[in-house]
Amino acid sequence: MKKTLSVLIAIMAFTQLSTAQEDFTKFRMGFKVSPNISWFQPQDKHFTSEGSVLRFGFGFNADVFFAQNYAIGTGVNVMRNGGKISYLEVTNSQGTDYIVRRERSMSNQYVEVPLTFKLRTNEIGYITYWGQFGFGLGVNINARGDNEDELMYFYDESDPMDPGWKAVADRVVQLEEDVNFSDDVQLFRMSMIIGGGIEYNLSGSTSILVGVTYNNGFTNAFKDTDVIRTENGEPVFESGQPRDDVRLRAISNSIELNLGILF
C-alpha cells in the first residue's frame, strides 16, 4: 500500500512539474525601428575606407520559444547600410582614358531574414534582459549614392614619339549625385548577428524593446571590379600600363540601435 501511494505521489509530482515547464508563452512578435552606423571594411590594402555613415532600417520580429527563456529569433528586416570607400580606376571620357581616384558614399538596402538563438532572464521588476547570436541572409533591393572622381592621369597619344600616361596638371573633380550602384553590388549578403538588450513590461505580454545589435557581413559586398594597385597613394605602372589586377572586395558592417514593441 505504501509503495503504491509513493508511486502515485511521484506521478502527480512529475505531472505538475511537466505542466509548469510547459506553462510559458510559445510565440511573441513585434515591430522595431533600427537607426545604425555602418561602414565598409576593405579586404585589400589598395583601396581605403573613408569613414562611416548613418543609415536607418525597420523590421518585424518573431520569437518562437521552445523553453521558458530560450527561443529562436527570426523575422523580416528592411535594412540600409553602406559607407565611404576610395580607390583608383581607369575610366574613359570623350575618347581619352583617365586614371581617377574614385570616392563613393553608398547606401545599400537589403531585405534580411535573421535566424538567431535568443536567451532571456526571468523578469526582474518590470525588466527582462536578453541576448542573441546567429546569422542573417539578405537580398539587395537597391544601391544608390554619390560618386566623386578626381582625374589624376590621362593617356596621351598626341605625341607618337612618347605616348603614355601623363599626370594631370590641375586635377579636376567630377561629382555625380544619387547614382544607381545596383550593378556593382552583390545580390546576396550573409552576416553574423550579435545583440543584447532589455524588454520593459507594460502590461501582460506587451513590452517595450531596447537593444543594440552588431551586424557583421562576411561575404563580399561588391561584384568583381578592377582596382589599380597603389603605392603611397599613386598608381603602380608595369610596362607602361597601370596594374589593375586587384578586385574590389569589402565587407559591410553596422551597429544598430533597436527600438520596438513586442506583443
Side-chain angles (χ1 to χ4, degrees), residues 74-214:
T74 184
V76 178
N77 298 326
V78 178
M79 60 176 292
R80 282 188 173 92
N81 63 22
K84 298 178 181 179
I85 58 170
S86 64
Y87 54 93
L88 302 188
E89 190 176 51
V90 176
T91 188
N92 186 279
S93 178
Q94 297 180 348
T96 301
D97 289 334
Y98 287 91
I99 294 176
V100 300
R101 178 186 177 275
R102 178 159 288 170
E103 181 171 319
R104 289 183 167 182
S105 176
M106 301 181 65
S107 178
N108 298 335
Q109 186 173 6
Y110 296 88
V111 174
E112 180 189 65
V113 176
L115 185 63
T116 63
F117 179 62
K118 189 171 183 179
L119 301 88
R120 304 180 349 144
T121 66
N122 292 324
E123 190 172 295
I124 304 172
Y126 292 99
I127 296 176
T128 301
Y129 299 89
W130 58 268
Q132 65 182 145
F133 171 82
F135 302 94
L137 175 62
V139 178
N140 184 265
I141 59 174
N142 196 14
R144 306 193 73 86
D146 299 333
N147 189 71
E148 182 180 281
D149 289 349
E150 181 182 12
L151 306 184
M152 301 180 63
Y153 292 83
F154 72 101
Y155 192 76
D156 183 12
E157 297 181 288
S158 61
D159 183 358
M161 301 298 296
D162 185 27
W165 292 93
K166 316 293 182 184
V168 176
D170 297 318
R171 294 187 176 182
V172 179
V173 175
Q174 300 175 339
L175 177 63
E176 296 179 285
E177 297 181 321
D178 195 27
V179 180
N180 188 337
F181 292 135
S182 297
D183 290 339
D184 299 327
V185 175
Q186 294 281 7
L187 178 61
F188 296 104
R189 175 183 182 270
M190 295 187 66
S191 64
M192 179 181 67
I193 298 172
I194 302 174
I198 65 171
E199 297 172 15
Y200 183 84
N201 183 261
L202 296 178
S203 176
S205 63
T206 303
S207 301
I208 292 176
L209 170 73
V210 180
V212 176
T213 300
Y214 175 50

Side-chain angles (χ1 to χ4, degrees), residues 12-31:
M12 291 175 63
F14 179 77
T15 302
Q16 290 178 349
L17 179 61
S18 300
T19 303
Q21 289 179 339
E22 291 296 324
D23 186 19
F24 59 86
T25 301
K26 299 293 183 65
F27 184 80
R28 298 187 75 191
M29 65 179 181
F31 303 93

Side-chain angles (χ1 to χ4, degrees), residues 5 19 24 32-33 51 61 63 65 117 164 169 194 206 217 238 246:
L5 184 60
T19 303
F24 59 86
K32 68 174 183 177
V33 293
N61 295 339
D63 293 336
F65 287 86
F117 179 62
I194 302 174
T206 303
E238 189 173 273
V246 179

